[in-house]
Amino acid sequence: MRSLYRVVKNLLPLNINLSRAGALTAFMAMALPLAGCTGSSDYPVIFPHGPDAITERDLLFIAVAIMLIVVIPVFVLAVWLPLRYRASREAPDYDPNWDHSHRAEVVIWLVPALIVCAIGSLVWIYTHRLDPYRSQMAEGKPVVVQAVSIDWKWLFIYPQQHLATVNELVLPTDRPVSLRLTSTDVMTSFFVPGLTSQIYAMAGMGTRLNFQPGPVETYTGRNSLFDGKGFPDQKFPVRIVTAENFKNWIDTVRKAPLQLTPHKYQMLSKSGAMPHPLHFSSADPELFARIVKGEHSAASMIVSSRSK
Amino acid sequence: MLGKLTLHVLPLYSPIAMSGAAMELLGVLFIAALITWFGKWRYIWNEWLTTVDHKRIGIMYVVLAFVMLFRGFSDAFMMRMQQATALNGHGYLPPEHFNQVFSAHGTIMIIFMAMPFLTGIINFVVPQQIGARDVSFPFLNSVSFWLTAAGAALVLTSLVIGRFTTAGWTAYPPFSELPTSPGSGTDYWIWAVLVSGVGSTLTGVNFVVTIIKRRAPGMSLMQMPLFTWAAFITAILMVFAFPGVTVAAALLGFDRFLGMHFFTADAGGNAMNYINLFWLWGHPEVYIVILPSFGIFSELVATFSSKRLFGYVSLVYATMVIGILSFTVWLHHFFTMGSSADVNSFFGIATMVIAVPTGVKIYDWLLTMYRGRIRLTSHMHWTLGFMVAFVIGGMTGVLLAIPPVDYVMHNTLFLVAHFHNMLIPGSLFGLLAGYQYWFPKAFGFRLDEWWGKTSFWFWFVGFYVAFMPLYVLGFMGMPRRMDYYQNPAWQPWLIVAAIGAVLIAIGILCLAIQLVVSIRRREELADLTGDPWDARTLEWMNASPAPLYNFAVVPEIHDREELAWRKERGISHDAPAHYTPIEMPCNTSTGVLIGGAAFVLGFAVIWNIWWLAILAFAGVIAATIVKGSVPEEEYTITPDQIAALESRGSGPLLGFLSPLEDERGDHSTHGLLNSIGD
Ligand code: HEM
Ligand SMILES: [Cu+2]
Ligand SMILES: [Cu+2]
């Protein structure tokens, strides 16, 4: 009853932090044995560092806790009933025609319905709170990054800095991030477990992902939507760094010999997966818009890249 | 002349694919040789391939399902072995093969294993359960079966000639479009889905009409057994959902064959339209494969608890609600496509609402057991195993229905674990239990219990061992459809999952052994009463196997659990005073011909053999017109014949050769079965 009370109490103020304690214990109990052998960094979804990912994790465990109200009785009853009423016991309370009970029916409709109401309200609130498209309230001018999924790598354009990278995403810890995504042809999904939500990248369209980068940390991001034979290699390091290190990193990239000319971009489309990051000391800030409009339509070039 | 067919279409790219193809060919040759050896071609053709009897069509569907289960599981096993070993390397399967394997596995398991299985059981059971002689459109039924078989044959052919798609069972464009998926693979997928989709739509129409029109006198809708209700809702879903995937696949075909741009990445195509259309079918499809099993569990729980089903009205309404809601949730398959928070929350909540009627069902079954006398047969094992496994899948399903949670779980192995957690206990366990439950009604003897229970335990434990690690891998952020990977932390869990696949393989082996053992021991396992389980519904009132007309005299219905009602009053086996002649439809080869022509049509278009395609298409149209314009042929079974058949009683394989010819003593089918062992 106390835990039920706590759940309800957590629902009312709708502040996820209150529930942190409960959720933490729940998942620690489940996760510790797993983490024991490898280490929590192997479980980015249950040991996240990004603020959004943390809320998403908490939501997951709160929902599990609520649902256990109906799930645990099923386990118990599905074992106990067949033992208690097995034919060989010839239980005297056998009642072959007992097939209806108003009270039981009300309970079995009402309890799941209430649970769905509870989780449903969480859904409404947190789907809005964690909407990838929402603008960030937090202080600071967002860092804008434009991500382009190209067979089997990611191009990251930093329009504010006029530079670009392939397969390396570096973000400062103190500013919100505004990510715009598109794809040269096939549909992919940008996913950095432990940092934030995932979102599709689609040709001819720009999707958005706005988030807080959270503390200094390193992640592995990837495309999670199958897009052909180089799919397993379409991954990249994501580094959340201090403001100072971000500046240093920008300076290093500025010194890179490569420039993202239209020709280079075409080359990229043909080159398949890329195990090491590339830096481009200059990039056209309008490139992304043109890719979305299809002016660099890659569909035709892709054929040659894939038939290699 | 032969379009794009050359020797290069043989699977020379991968030795594994080549041996798979060889095995498939040898299998076909072996069966053909066996039939020839026993001189059974005429029997097979006359009594089975051309049949319009719903029971035999049902049995053929189930046979098809088992063949495809074997193939689909082989694919699954290969994937599990690949992922257990493919750390930092390419494993033993090259990407162009692995990517076909997961696509084929998904397509086969859903469309060519679960669908034929449930359609077969519905076919076999529903007419007997509602006191009908056959379905409303027996010929259409045969066409549906042969279209499904033609689709399955196309998928099987793709292993030998050409390739299968690498775009997954969902065949999402733009990836599945020509620039990124050249070659025959996606075309095979399109034609397999189109051909079998038409078959499923027709099955849906057939059963909606049959259940509305063919119920025995006195059986109101609210007196239909729960399996019939489940079949009814399933059939309605089939009618409304399948056109979605048919249109999606057809438009994709237009893009690929005619250079159109419905879903292409360029020239104004929009892949999101495909994804919506696909899941507009895809989500109801999930309920199409699960609802019949729910119906089966409802029958089993009541029968083996020797008690009336608890909460019948609740169960009926729950089934209806699930059916309706299943059309309102499709967007949960792409919360991450950038819809607004309002839209995502709406579909998230709608999805959870389905959990309510589902939860109600589980509790109704539990309450059915309460104060019952439960016989823990193999059927009850499957049922209980289903309940404890399914609620976990339901729980993870609700989790995935929370959009923010889906944002971190989508496309990971957590999702794969979730849907297998629904499909294996929720669909397959039910179908396997149904197969073991109604087997005596089909063949006159029961299946061996020991092997049935052993199979259950291997499936049950194997399922947990194979799929719980995938939840963990989802927490580790491992995406689905990975041919190889570089993260060493994933490997231990993938090895555990592979062990699970081995356990499931043993479970499947046990099913095969169970069949062989039971055939050998059929006299011991004989069902001599027609009611081996002390069951409660109408189909058990007949002899086992049921005579070809099911009911010599169509019974009058008094109660939801008619047979239990009659047994209580001791009137279950009253012989009627006299028989009247029964008209039954004649067998026809048109169904096989249409199915065959549809296969040729698909194959010819895939390989651009246009003259053959035109010929096959003309054949389908001509056969339909001709069949449609001649009056249906029927034959009459005389009262004397009925009396003779009715006096035959129950027993192994009675009437199995040829329903009316048993007396002639052609016992060579028994001969064939005997040669298996004793
Ligand atoms: C019997 C044991 C089974 C095993 C061991 C198994 C294993 C697998 C594996 C390893 C995958 C690929 C996961 C990935 O993408 O990384 C998969 C995918 C899939 N399975 Fe199964 N499976 C089994 C049964 C079933 C059944 C019974 C069904 C359906 C009724 C089914 C439907 C699917 C579907 C739809 C996919 C997705 C295919 C795709 O990605 O396009 N599976 N399964
Ligand atoms: Cu889009
Ligand atoms: Cu769905």
Side-chain angles (χ1 to χ4, degrees):
Chain A
M1 226 47 234
R2 285 243 339 250
S3 59
L4 196 69
Y5 165 77
R6 196 159 63 200
V7 169
V8 174
K9 183 160 149 270
N10 289 338
L11 288 175
L12 291 180
L14 296 160
N15 182 344
I16 207 83
N17 286 326
L18 279 180
S19 61
R20 186 70 58 77
L24 269 176
T25 32
F27 87 81
M28 288 304 260
M30 294 195 224
L32 274 184
L34 316 183
C37 39
T38 30
S40 62
S41 66
D42 288 330
Y43 298 86
V45 176
I46 32 181
F47 297 102
H49 299 283
D52 286 359
I54 289 175
T55 315
E56 283 155 350
R57 185 268 325 263
D58 289 348
L59 205 51
L60 190 151
F61 282 106
I62 291 169
V64 170
I66 299 175
M67 278 186 285
L68 288 180
I69 298 172
V70 275
V71 168
I72 287 179
V74 173
F75 286 134
V76 175
L77 291 173
V79 175
W80 179 72
L81 283 172
L83 293 178
R84 168 70 176 72
Y85 291 103
R86 65 183 185 277
S88 55
R89 284 192 71 210
E90 308 213 334
D93 55 351
Y94 175 51
D95 188 353
N97 288 321
W98 187 73
D99 68 350
H100 185 71
S101 148
H102 262 301
R103 255 194 304 175
E105 297 270 355
V106 169
V107 172
I108 63 180
W109 279 94
L110 216 57
V111 173
L114 287 176
I115 286 177
V116 165
C117 286
I119 302 180
S121 11
L122 288 179
V123 165
W124 185 265
I125 291 158
Y126 283 98
T127 304
H128 285 80
R129 247 186 230 181
L130 292 165
D131 182 6
Y133 278 55
R134 77 200 185 280
S135 54
Q136 296 286 332
M137 311 288 174
E139 326 267 287
K141 201 161 90 53
V143 183
V144 177
V145 181
Q146 297 162 333
V148 185
S149 150
I150 309 174
D151 271 350
W152 299 294
K153 56 196 158 292
W154 291 89
L155 168 67
F156 297 107
I157 305 169
Y158 290 71
Q160 294 158 329
Q161 288 80 10
H162 291 240
L163 44 83
T165 68
V166 169
N167 280 356
E168 183 178 39
L169 181 59
V170 177
L171 299 165
T173 171
D174 59 339
R175 287 164 62 190
V177 181
S178 169
L179 198 62
R180 304 284 316 268
L181 302 100
T182 193
S183 163
T184 48
D185 62 342
V186 299
M187 193 181 283
T188 55
S189 187
F190 175 92
F191 185 27
V192 187
L195 176 63
T196 183
S197 308
Q198 66 180 300
I199 192 108
Y200 285 174
M202 296 174 281
M205 283 169 264
T207 41
R208 287 164 195 267
L209 181 60
N210 298 334
F211 61 97
Q212 294 290 334
V216 171
E217 189 62 54
T218 307
Y219 305 91
T220 303
R222 61 167 68 247
N223 162 32
S224 69
L225 182 56
F226 179 79
D227 64 345
K229 65 180 176 202
F231 167 69
D233 298 321
Q234 197 173 357
K235 60 192 177 58
F236 52 93
V238 180
R239 289 191 289 126
I240 311 296
V241 298
T242 58
E244 195 188 311
N245 283 345
F246 185 64
K247 236 185 237 113
N248 295 342
W249 179 77
I250 296 282
D251 290 340
T252 337
V253 178
R254 284 237 163 86
K255 295 198 196 91
L258 293 177
Q259 307 194 324
L260 188 56
T261 57
H263 177 68
K264 270 275 150 37
Y265 173 72
Q266 308 256 327
M267 300 284 289
L268 269 186
S269 311
K270 291 184 195 154
S271 58
M274 240 177 226
H276 302 293
L278 281 185
H279 290 170
F280 295 102
S281 53
S282 79
D284 178 359
E286 294 305 309
L287 178 62
F288 184 81
R290 288 210 306 275
I291 296 171
V292 171
K293 274 199 222 127
E295 281 171 28
H296 286 278
S297 169
S300 49
M301 305 182 299
I302 291 303
V303 184
S304 52
S305 136
R306 286 189 185 257
S307 49
K308 278 209 306 228
Chain B
M1 183 69 186
L2 284 180
K4 294 196 283 191
L5 273 183
T6 62
L7 277 182
H8 295 291
V9 303
L10 295 174
L12 304 171
Y13 57 95
S14 149
I16 310 267
M18 218 149 69
S19 44
M23 257 172 62
E24 228 175 69
L25 283 178
L26 285 180
V28 172
L29 285 180
F30 178 72
I31 291 172
L34 216 61
I35 298 175
T36 312
W37 175 257
F38 287 105
K40 285 291 171 192
W41 280 109
R42 181 190 292 273
Y43 165 73
I44 300 254
W45 177 263
N46 286 342
E47 295 297 332
W48 290 90
L49 306 190
T50 57
T51 188
V52 291
D53 177 350
H54 70 94
K55 299 184 285 300
R56 294 193 162 196
I57 290 178
I59 292 169
M60 289 196 292
Y61 265 116
V62 174
V63 170
L64 175 66
F66 273 116
V67 171
M68 299 311 278
L69 174 65
F70 182 72
R71 164 71 204 272
F73 180 75
S74 309
D75 289 338
F77 196 81
M78 283 164 64
M79 288 190 283
R80 278 282 139 267
M81 296 307 136
Q82 167 77 4
Q83 290 193 329
T85 53
L87 173 65
N88 290 326
H90 282 258
Y92 70 100
L93 290 178
E96 56 267 39
H97 190 194
F98 180 83
N99 300 343
Q100 291 179 58
V101 171
F102 68 72
S103 307
H105 167 76
T107 309
I108 286 176
M109 283 298 201
I110 302 272
I111 302 181
F112 298 110
M113 190 285 288
M115 285 301 288
F117 209 151
L118 69 93
T119 311
I121 291 187
I122 289 177
N123 249 296
F124 184 82
V125 175
V126 165
Q128 303 194 61
Q129 214 169 39
I130 62 176
R133 296 237 154 89
D134 205 321
V135 294
S136 287
F137 310 115
F139 163 66
L140 199 65
N141 205 12
S142 153
V143 173
S144 297
F145 171 74
W146 286 109
L147 289 178
T148 308
L154 279 172
V155 177
L156 294 181
T157 306
S158 75
L159 181 59
V160 184
I161 303 174
R163 300 183 183 195
F164 196 61
T165 185
T166 57
W169 82 285
T170 48
Y172 272 13
F175 182 73
S176 55
E177 295 281 358
L178 266 187
T180 35
S181 296
S184 60
T186 305
D187 300 331
Y188 269 115
W189 182 88
I190 289 174
W191 281 93
V193 166
L194 284 180
V195 170
S196 64
V198 173
S200 297
T201 311
L202 297 179
T203 298
V205 172
N206 212 339
F207 278 90
V208 171
V209 177
T210 302
I211 293 172
I212 291 180
K213 303 290 278 190
R214 289 286 169 118
R215 278 169 287 130
M219 183 184 276
S220 66
L221 283 178
M222 287 312 264
Q223 274 180 344
M224 299 195 312
L226 227 98
F227 179 73
T228 299
W229 261 112
F232 187 43
I233 305 289
T234 305
I236 294 174
L237 293 187
M238 284 183 188
V239 173
F240 286 105
F242 266 89
V245 74
T246 304
V247 168
L251 297 183
L252 184 60
F254 288 162
D255 280 4
R256 291 177 61 89
F257 287 103
L258 305 177
M260 296 189 177
H261 289 278
F262 286 104
F263 312 126
T264 52
D266 56 351
N270 189 335
M272 295 194 294
N273 288 339
Y274 175 94
I275 295 177
N276 275 285
L277 274 174
F278 182 88
W279 288 112
L280 216 43
W281 160 76
H283 193 84
E285 168 67 8
V286 174
Y287 288 94
I288 290 173
V289 301
I290 284 182
L291 284 181
S293 295
F294 282 3
I296 292 169
F297 291 130
S298 304
E299 302 290 329
L300 297 182
V301 167
T303 297
F304 292 100
S305 303
S306 305
K307 183 162 165 277
R308 278 177 83 84
L309 187 62
F310 182 89
Y312 174 90
V313 179
S314 261
L315 282 164
V316 169
Y317 279 104
T319 310
M320 286 192 213
V321 169
I322 292 176
I324 293 166
L325 287 178
S326 72
F327 282 100
T328 65
V329 302
W330 78 94
L331 191 128
H332 62 210
H333 296 275
F334 42 93
F335 282 142
T336 52
M337 207 156 74
S339 307
S340 73
D342 288 348
V343 170
N344 276 354
S345 348
F346 171 84
F347 281 93
I349 293 171
T351 304
M352 297 179 177
V353 172
I354 299 193
V356 176
T358 313
V360 168
K361 277 172 171 266
I362 303 251
Y363 276 94
D364 276 329
W365 295 323
L366 288 169
L367 286 165
T368 303
M369 292 195 281
Y370 176 68
R371 306 186 70 176
R373 290 229 161 122
I374 303 169
R375 286 166 278 153
L376 285 175
T377 60
S378 59
H379 322 87
M380 219 40 203
H381 281 64
W382 293 108
T383 308
L384 293 166
F386 147 75
M387 285 191 219
V388 292
F390 191 78
V391 288
I392 301 177
M395 186 160 78
T396 56
V398 172
L399 292 178
L400 288 168
I402 304 173
V405 173
D406 184 68
Y407 296 159
V408 293
M409 287 306 182
H410 185 58
N411 275 334
T412 67
L413 287 183
F414 187 91
L415 170 72
V416 174
H418 156 68
F419 67 67
H420 284 90
N421 203 338
M422 303 308 265
L423 290 167
I424 292 180
S427 177
L428 196 56
F429 280 15
L431 296 169
L432 289 173
Y435 150 76
Q436 302 187 337
Y437 180 61
W438 281 297
F439 188 91
K441 190 45 67 185
F443 298 102
F445 59 98
R446 282 163 294 144
L447 287 166
D448 184 86
E449 273 289 296
W450 190 86
W451 283 105
K453 287 179 189 169
T454 311
S455 171
F456 164 78
W457 283 111
F458 276 107
W459 266 99
F460 184 68
V461 176
F463 160 75
Y464 276 98
V465 179
F467 289 100
M468 294 303 123
L470 302 201
Y471 283 124
V472 178
L473 285 159
F475 288 138
M476 302 174 90
M478 179 174 177
R480 64 195 284 201
R481 300 176 173 172
M482 280 261 201
D483 180 20
Y484 52 91
Y485 50 94
Q486 285 90 11
N487 187 341
W490 294 345
Q491 194 174 30
W493 296 109
L494 289 165
I495 292 174
V496 175
I499 295 170
V502 172
L503 295 177
I504 294 177
I506 300 174
I508 292 178
L509 188 68
C510 291
L511 284 177
I513 297 176
Q514 180 193 38
L515 186 62
V516 174
V517 166
S518 313
I519 292 174
R520 288 172 59 169
R521 298 180 48 216
R522 62 185 176 280
E523 298 300 336
E524 258 170 89
L525 293 168
D527 164 19
L528 298 173
T529 60
D531 180 20
W533 314 118
D534 189 15
R536 316 179 66 81
T537 42
L538 208 54
E539 74 273 25
W540 299 102
M541 215 164 87
N542 270 322
S544 296
L548 73 168
Y549 44 71
N550 293 348
F551 296 91
V553 175
V554 173
E556 176 87 27
I557 307 298
H558 312 82
D559 189 80
R560 251 171 226 161
E561 298 183 355
E562 177 67 18
L563 181 58
W565 186 90
R566 290 190 183 214
K567 282 194 275 201
E568 227 168 85
R569 286 159 186 74
I571 54 170
S572 53
H573 286 100
D574 284 359
H578 65 96
Y579 299 111
T580 48
I582 297 174
E583 304 246 297
M584 296 298 286
C586 291
N587 287 359
T588 163
S589 52
T590 318
V592 203
L593 294 182
I594 289 180
F599 171 83
V600 173
L601 171 63
F603 185 82
V605 177
I606 291 166
W607 295 106
N608 296 359
I609 313 172
W610 300 116
W611 61 269
L612 188 59
I614 292 168
L615 218 63
F617 186 66
V620 173
I621 298 296
T624 313
I625 291 175
V626 171
K627 178 75 188 165
S629 18
V630 296
E632 191 117 45
E633 277 181 69
E634 293 193 327
Y635 65 98
T636 307
I637 307 174
T638 62
D640 289 345
Q641 283 172 317
I642 299 172
L645 285 171
E646 290 295 306
S647 65
R648 194 176 65 192
S650 295
L653 297 170
L654 279 177
F656 222 73
L657 298 172
S658 169
L660 285 176
E661 289 173 16
D662 215 28
E663 278 71 54
R664 282 193 217 151
D666 175 4
H667 281 302
S668 39
T669 311
H670 299 58
L672 185 137
L673 293 170
N674 283 328
S675 67
I676 291 175
D678 47 6

